[in-house]
Amino acid sequence: MSRHIAGPEIERLIQLLARLPGLGPRSARRAALHLVKKKEALLEPLGKAFADAAQNVRVCATCGNIDTSDPCTVCCDATRDSGTLIVVEDVSDLWALERVGSVRAAYHVLGGRLSPLDGVGPEDLNIKQLLTRIEAGGVKEVILALNATVEGQTTAHYITDMLSGFDVRITRLAHGVPVGGELDYLDEGTLAAALQARTAL
Amino acid sequence: MSRHIAGPEIERLIQLLARLPGLGPRSARRAALHLVKKKEALLEPLGKAFADAAQNVRVCATCGNIDTSDPCTVCCDATRDSGTLIVVEDVSDLWALERVGSVRAAYHVLGGRLSPLDGVGPEDLNIKQLLTRIEAGGVKEVILALNATVEGQTTAHYITDMLSGFDVRITRLAHGVPVGGELDYLDEGTLAAALQARTAL
Ligand SMILES: [Zn+2]
Ligand SMILES: [Zn+2]
């Protein structure tokens, strides 16, 4: 707000809320107002939830996931097939794949992708721990679920090279036409990949 | 999330964030993830901001505004013309009017509107305190900035009646075509009001 119409605690609340993805300055104001109006039902519980999460959040030493326990909830899930590792760039990719619902595999979160231009090398990513997991045995397949960008694919190639000595099947996500996608709006690379990987009806 | 892929602290964070206006379940997840990834820069400061606000938030005994001090920031602003009171239904209306920037008046927040159907009567609103302020003298004009709804207008009439014995000018916001509004999309009531209140060029 250009002029002060509320106390510094509320102005600070708006400022910080505006830094959340999906909330602009306007919706941050609306959210802050909603919060102070629902002090007992929302403001206090959220304050406690933030403090609890902040106190417990940590990086899983096994897979690189971010959670409030180490090993993380996913690594502790005994119903998963630990023989299949899905390698992702970021925790958000893990969450996205879990929304599919049918995934029963374990994960490995790299924490980024190789990017020489940004100075991100192999030692900056959670790759050494991936090798340790595979050396320990039991992993039969590594699914590289990296972004279909130049950097994602560079990272995929690097990992494929690192794993060439192991008796592990390495796969990647299929390229193709998104479900519901219109050909008209697709880039040529996707169309070429979809043609190449065409399946019989 | 249908399956547990994160600890209870994170699940709770998502649940509570989804109750903020402007954040659906999907953006609440994204916000929660952003928060746990930015523990020191965002999660901890926001937890503190929430606690600070929760500890200090109160209703202004003078005007009914919600703030972290009583009297509130607006009531304490000596640069405002305390001879003009803008009566609004909700704190959000006060904030909206303040965004206009040119307002230099004081406010009175009713905390709702008369609604016999919802069992909201005059005693449920901050009306008695409005009369006390006017009885104390010094108020020359009361601007009724209530919503242009049936209930808002009922409330406006009720307050007008209550103030009829006082030497106070009572005005309301003008009805008309919104700036940038297309006639085509306006309801007939607005168009009729705009015609009625037409101004000379
Ligand atoms: Zn883990
Ligand atoms: Zn006040």
Side-chain angles (χ1 to χ4, degrees):
Chain A
M1 281 167 280
S2 50
R3 240 162 83 206
H4 290 290
I5 63 158
E9 298 90 345
I10 294 177
E11 305 257 358
R12 173 123 181 94
L13 201 59
I14 297 170
Q15 239 175 48
L16 287 168
L17 284 171
R19 290 174 53 195
L20 289 181
L23 285 184
R26 195 168 195 131
S27 45
R29 266 198 309 264
R30 208 164 48 225
L33 190 53
H34 188 74
L35 281 163
V36 295
K37 286 167 78 176
K38 307 232 174 213
K39 182 183 144 181
E40 265 129 62
L42 206 49
L43 184 58
E44 288 176 347
L46 256 171
K48 194 181 172 310
F50 278 46
D52 285 351
Q55 201 180 346
N56 293 300
V57 75
R58 61 208 65 212
V59 174
C60 176
T62 305
C63 76
N65 187 17
I66 297 175
D67 200 350
T68 49
S69 60
D70 177 15
C72 72
T73 307
V74 173
C75 282
C76 290
D77 184 348
T79 70
R80 287 175 189 272
D81 168 20
S82 59
T84 307
L85 280 192
I86 303 181
V87 177
V88 292
E89 295 180 22
D90 194 274
V91 178
S92 57
D93 302 321
L94 185 162
W95 286 26
L97 284 165
E98 282 298 305
R99 282 203 288 280
V100 175
S102 58
V103 186
R104 303 305 301 151
Y107 284 89
H108 196 83
V109 182
L110 296 176
R113 64 269 163 288
L114 292 177
S115 175
L117 284 175
D118 295 328
V120 180
E123 67 289 346
D124 299 311
L125 302 180
N126 192 21
I127 290 178
K128 207 178 147 195
Q129 182 58 25
L130 175 62
L131 294 177
T132 308
R133 288 178 88 176
I134 287 160
E135 279 164 4
V139 176
K140 292 189 186 71
E141 178 174 357
V142 170
I143 304 174
L144 299 173
L146 305 176
N147 288 327
T149 58
V150 172
E151 293 177 340
Q153 296 312 302
T154 304
T155 311
H157 283 130
Y158 181 85
I159 293 175
T160 305
D161 283 349
M162 296 297 287
L163 300 183
S164 63
F166 295 95
D167 183 24
V168 171
R169 190 174 169 225
I170 303 174
T171 57
R172 65 160 173 75
L173 295 185
H175 289 316
V177 181
V179 175
E182 295 181 63
L183 297 193
D184 230 15
Y185 293 91
L186 284 177
D187 64 292
E188 290 150 37
T190 303
L191 278 177
L195 260 177
Q196 185 86 41
R198 67 193 179 279
T199 53
L201 286 177
Chain B
M1 280 165 281
S2 50
R3 240 162 82 204
H4 291 291
I5 63 158
E9 297 91 345
I10 293 176
E11 305 255 358
R12 175 123 180 94
L13 202 58
I14 296 170
Q15 240 174 47
L16 287 168
L17 284 170
R19 289 175 53 196
L20 289 181
L23 284 184
R26 195 166 194 131
S27 44
R29 267 198 309 262
R30 206 163 49 224
L33 191 54
H34 188 74
L35 281 163
V36 295
K37 285 166 80 175
K38 307 231 173 211
K39 182 183 145 181
E40 266 129 60
L42 206 49
L43 184 59
E44 288 176 346
L46 255 171
K48 193 181 173 311
F50 278 44
D52 285 351
Q55 202 179 348
N56 294 300
V57 76
R58 61 209 66 212
V59 174
C60 176
T62 306
C63 76
N65 187 17
I66 297 174
D67 201 350
T68 48
S69 60
D70 176 17
C72 72
T73 308
V74 173
C75 283
C76 289
D77 184 348
T79 70
R80 287 174 189 272
D81 168 20
S82 59
T84 306
L85 280 192
I86 303 181
V87 177
V88 292
E89 296 181 21
D90 194 275
V91 178
S92 57
D93 302 322
L94 185 162
W95 286 26
L97 284 164
E98 282 298 306
R99 283 201 289 279
V100 176
S102 57
V103 187
R104 302 305 301 150
Y107 284 89
H108 195 84
V109 182
L110 296 176
R113 65 270 164 287
L114 292 176
S115 175
L117 284 176
D118 295 327
V120 181
E123 67 289 344
D124 299 311
L125 301 181
N126 192 22
I127 290 178
K128 209 178 144 193
Q129 182 58 25
L130 174 63
L131 295 176
T132 307
R133 288 178 88 176
I134 287 161
E135 279 164 4
V139 177
K140 293 190 186 71
E141 178 175 358
V142 170
I143 304 175
L144 299 173
L146 305 176
N147 289 325
T149 59
V150 173
E151 293 176 339
Q153 295 313 302
T154 304
T155 311
H157 283 129
Y158 180 86
I159 293 174
T160 306
D161 283 349
M162 297 296 287
L163 300 183
S164 61
F166 296 95
D167 183 24
V168 170
R169 189 175 171 224
I170 302 174
T171 56
R172 64 160 173 76
L173 296 185
H175 290 315
V177 181
V179 176
E182 294 180 63
L183 297 193
D184 230 15
Y185 292 92
L186 283 177
D187 64 293
E188 290 150 35
T190 303
L191 277 177
L195 260 177
Q196 185 85 39
R198 66 194 179 279
T199 53
L201 286 177

